[in-house]
Amino acid sequence: MPVGVPKVPFLNPNPEPEPDSAVEEIDSMEEKAIWLDLFNRLYRQRLIFLGKDLEEELANTVVGLMIHLNIEDPFWTQTLYINCIGGLVIPGLAIFDTIGFVRPDVKTVCLGIAASMAAVILVGGTVTERCAFPNARVMIHQPRVNDFDDRISEVGLEGETFLYLRDAVVQIFIERTNKPAWVVLADLERDTFMSATEAKTYGIIDGIYISEDEDEENLWS
């Protein structure tokens, strides 16, 4: 039986005056702590997670959260952690556009895998703030008809629109990686898998996490 999402305490960032003793302080903190599920607690620290297949509901949740956090504090950097095998094209582009729309920098971090449209979101992070963990994998390819799911007829998506969206994805990789168009087009013709180091060389990410040291010089490679 799954344990579900764990709950963690969240303390009021603007507490009342300090108690007279350490014991009173501990009791006061326990009484005032609000127990939130793990991800809600992390959202308050501007840590957002993309860990499922990209569909409309998930994309709308991520977009809404990013815009809400932007309104709440337009200067606090948001971090989007990505472990996703991709999904639908249009929801993925919605998140990509929102990253450029919100005022704070958006750091994109690949842990596990960022494939297909998830790779588009990864490369869409703020330049110099795109990174991956050492054992992460990145996979790029051009959009395919099945990336639109079976609802292609419901939205009246024609061949011309599909070609437009494919060209939009190609242009994103060209602009964000500074690779020549012919290189990007060739690599998108097939499933191109990369290690974190290869993704950095390609220009999809800017660095690789190598430690948890608070010193920025030891954080990146």
Side-chain angles (χ1 to χ4, degrees), residues 104-176:
D105 289 346
V106 178
K107 177 186 293 184
T108 51
V109 182
C110 176
L111 48 98
I113 188 168
S116 189
M117 286 307 297
V120 175
I121 296 171
L122 175 64
V123 78
T126 301
V127 176
T128 73
E129 295 286 345
R130 306 167 300 181
C131 56
F133 282 86
N135 293 310
R137 304 287 292 179
V138 177
M139 189 275 281
I140 62 174
H141 63 196
Q142 65 177 331
R144 299 166 182 174
V145 173
N146 58 1
D147 290 334
F148 293 92
D149 207 358
D150 296 330
R151 287 160 285 190
I152 188 170
S153 59
E154 297 179 15
V155 297
L157 202 60
E158 300 178 355
E160 183 178 349
T161 304
F162 173 78
L163 292 175
Y164 167 80
L165 293 172
R166 185 192 66 180
D167 291 343
V169 170
V170 171
Q171 193 61 33
I172 286 172
F173 279 111
I174 292 173
E175 293 178 356
R176 305 291 293 186

